[in-house]
Amino acid sequence: MSENHKYYYLKLKDNFFDSEEMKLLDTMKNGKDYQILYLKLCLLSLKNDGALMFKGMIPYDFSMISTITNMSIDTVKTALE
């Protein structure tokens, strides 16, 4: 039985990690975690045309993002603030 799958694409330039923003994050404490969180949020937003919404209706809060991305809530709060 065939299942229908919907695929999304995130296009990054080959020098993504060489950008000033990513280099600055690299030097920060937990910077690599912030980079991964950023990419996870970008991928998560693809389903809702760039919005971070649960089921297209409820905006994600720190706790929800922490659970979905499997990162500590402190890391999520610090990165997003």
Side-chain angles (χ1 to χ4, degrees), residues 43-54:
L43 291 169
L44 186 62
S45 72
L46 290 176
K47 295 179 184 176
N48 293 307
D49 295 322
L52 290 170
M53 305 284 281
F54 178 70

Side-chain angles (χ1 to χ4, degrees), residues 10-74:
L10 178 64
K11 194 181 232 185
L12 298 174
K13 292 186 177 188
D14 61 349
N15 63 350
F16 175 77
F17 288 103
D18 293 329
S19 69
E20 288 181 2
E21 294 84 3
M22 292 301 119
K23 284 183 177 182
L24 287 173
L25 282 178
D26 258 345
T27 64
M28 296 174 68
K29 181 183 176 193
N30 299 324
K32 299 224 185 287
D33 289 338
Y34 301 151
Q35 289 176 337
I36 292 169
L37 177 63
Y38 173 74
L39 290 172
K40 285 183 177 185
L41 292 178
C42 287
L43 291 169
L44 186 62
S45 72
L46 290 176
K47 295 179 184 176
N48 293 307
D49 295 322
L52 290 170
M53 305 284 281
F54 178 70
K55 304 270 184 181
M57 299 180 296
I58 303 168
Y60 286 113
D61 61 14
F62 294 135
S63 175
M64 294 166 76
I65 292 172
S66 172
T67 301
I68 289 171
T69 60
N70 196 29
M71 296 190 145
S72 75
I73 194 156
D74 292 331

